[in-house]
Amino acid sequence: MTQVRGRFAPSPSGRMHLGNLFSGLLAWLSVRRSGGVMVLRMEDLDPDRCRREYAEQLADDLRWLGLDWDEGYGLGGPHGPYLQSQRTELYQAAFQKLEGQGLVYPCFCTRAERLAASAPHRSDGQVIYTGKCRCLTEEEQREKSANRCPAWRLMVPDREMSFTDGLQGPYSEHLERDCGDFIVRRSDGVYAYQLAVVCDDGAMEISQVVRGRDLLDSTPRQLYLYERLGLRPPAFYHVPLLLAPDGRRLSKRERDLDMGALRRRFTPEGLTGLLAFWAGQLDKPEPAVPGELAGVFDWRKVPAGDITVLPELLEA
């Protein structure tokens, strides 16, 4: 049996919050339960938001909780570098491969134009791009390039893309209708998350991806990229989101329960036990250590639906 290779790939754009930690713990437990290899990668694509000091703090917070890793940030390994900002050549090569297949095209639309020319929004509010720039002639592209640097989109086919998630079950999207042509390189030259994450997980031989349920609808697009780039996709497990009592998703932007506050209020064992309780691994929130939980971790006990974080449970 091939050894499981899992990863935790946070963005060092601020302090981790409780939701990040929940996904990270489940990823770690799943890998350790199977005796696999854990990789820590920093997804620092955005130069305006990501900082090295955040990456250092993130690594320190993981060590504080008792979540170690076998290769990756700070350790190195055979698949480095483990900072996305240092992997641009890999993304460029993938972009050129897609370009050689005639699948990418420049998009000159402003945000306002994208909204005006979009298909009806999906139920989650996502705009579906209708392909306005897909049929521009080379002359029209040159004219527009004189005034605006384009983003680059991947042309998707009229095709259903389906997979079975390890926690959420069967999931399917029609690429053209539900996703639309999506950006693989921004107008500032930064490669988009969808392309980078596929390149990285493929190159690092990741076989299991555990991440938040909010990324479930990204998976069909990524599976299409895996296919076009000739890479083997991993198994996916999309875990529930942690919600505030008013229904808001916990986020870095609003500084909900970040690790600075959590470390002042909890011991590592206390916080681990609370997260494990929410994940269905404990009958009640009581102190626990990750190493002990790994031996009895069971995906069948993890709830599929989102979890409301009750304030009284955070009174350490």
Side-chain angles (χ1 to χ4, degrees), residues 36-56:
V37 175
M38 189 69 190
V39 178
L40 176 62
R41 181 176 74 235
M42 296 292 175
E43 298 196 335
D44 61 340
L45 277 174
D46 192 334
D48 297 326
R49 298 176 60 238
C50 297
R51 300 177 186 173
R52 184 62 66 90
E53 56 263 36
Y54 291 150
E56 290 294 327

Side-chain angles (χ1 to χ4, degrees), residues 5-24:
R5 286 180 58 84
R7 51 80 159 172
F8 184 44
S11 173
S13 57
R15 204 76 184 261
M16 280 195 300
H17 62 74
L18 200 58
N20 302 137
L21 208 59
F22 184 70
S23 294

Side-chain angles (χ1 to χ4, degrees), residues 61-79:
D61 286 337
L62 290 173
R63 287 191 289 263
W64 175 83
L65 198 69
L67 304 181
D68 61 349
W69 55 97
D70 304 301
E71 66 177 79
Y73 183 78
L75 291 181
H79 304 286

Side-chain angles (χ1 to χ4, degrees), residues 24-178:
L25 176 63
L26 288 175
W28 189 92
L29 290 174
S30 184
V31 168
R32 293 299 182 228
R33 173 65 171 150
S34 66
V37 175
M38 189 69 190
V39 178
L40 176 62
R41 181 176 74 235
M42 296 292 175
E43 298 196 335
D44 61 340
L45 277 174
D46 192 334
D48 297 326
R49 298 176 60 238
C50 297
R51 300 177 186 173
R52 184 62 66 90
E53 56 263 36
Y54 291 150
E56 290 294 327
Q57 184 66 74
L58 196 153
D60 182 69
D61 286 337
L62 290 173
R63 287 191 289 263
W64 175 83
L65 198 69
L67 304 181
D68 61 349
W69 55 97
D70 304 301
E71 66 177 79
Y73 183 78
L75 291 181
H79 304 286
Y82 295 91
L83 286 159
Q84 285 189 328
S85 58
Q86 298 175 3
R87 299 177 64 83
T88 304
E89 290 184 4
L90 177 69
Y91 311 145
Q92 176 65 23
F95 180 85
Q96 290 174 343
K97 185 170 185 176
L98 296 172
E99 191 174 33
Q101 296 174 35
L103 293 176
V104 297
Y105 64 90
C107 176
F108 300 89
C109 295
T110 64
R111 175 176 170 77
E113 288 170 337
R114 290 197 302 272
L115 291 173
S118 67
H121 291 203
R122 292 174 10 164
S123 60
D124 60 6
Q126 182 176 316
V127 172
I128 308 300
Y129 185 66
T130 57
K132 179 182 178 182
C133 291
R134 185 194 277 204
C135 299
L136 293 176
T137 66
E138 290 186 8
E139 182 179 352
E140 288 172 326
Q141 291 177 3
R142 285 193 297 270
E143 290 175 355
K144 289 181 176 293
S145 294
N147 299 311
R148 182 177 178 83
C149 290
W152 288 79
R153 291 183 181 271
L154 182 74
M155 192 183 305
V156 299
D158 176 7
R159 174 181 166 190
E160 200 81 19
M161 185 67 76
S162 304
F163 75 104
T164 299
D165 187 79
L167 185 59
Q168 302 296 332
Y171 185 81
S172 180
E173 284 195 356
H174 187 278
L175 290 176
E176 190 174 61
R177 183 184 64 245
D178 299 328

Side-chain angles (χ1 to χ4, degrees), residues 251-262:
S251 68
K252 289 181 184 177
R253 184 173 302 169
E254 300 178 49
R255 300 184 63 80
D256 284 301
L257 302 171
D258 72 18
M259 282 299 294
L262 292 170

Side-chain angles (χ1 to χ4, degrees), residues 7 41 43 84 98 154 156 161 163 171 173 175 179-180 182-184 192-199 201-202 209 211-212 214-236 238:
R7 51 80 159 172
R41 181 176 74 235
E43 298 196 335
Q84 285 189 328
L98 296 172
L154 182 74
V156 299
M161 185 67 76
F163 75 104
Y171 185 81
E173 284 195 356
L175 290 176
C179 301
F182 58 92
I183 292 175
V184 290
Y193 165 77
Q194 305 289 4
L195 180 63
V197 73
V198 168
C199 290
D201 285 341
V209 168
R211 58 190 185 187
D214 54 323
L215 291 171
L216 181 65
D217 65 357
S218 292
T219 310
R221 280 170 276 184
Q222 292 169 17
L223 289 171
Y224 183 59
L225 280 169
Y226 275 106
E227 180 182 291
R228 301 315 307 177
L229 295 172
L231 300 171
R232 177 178 296 180
F236 291 96
H238 287 86

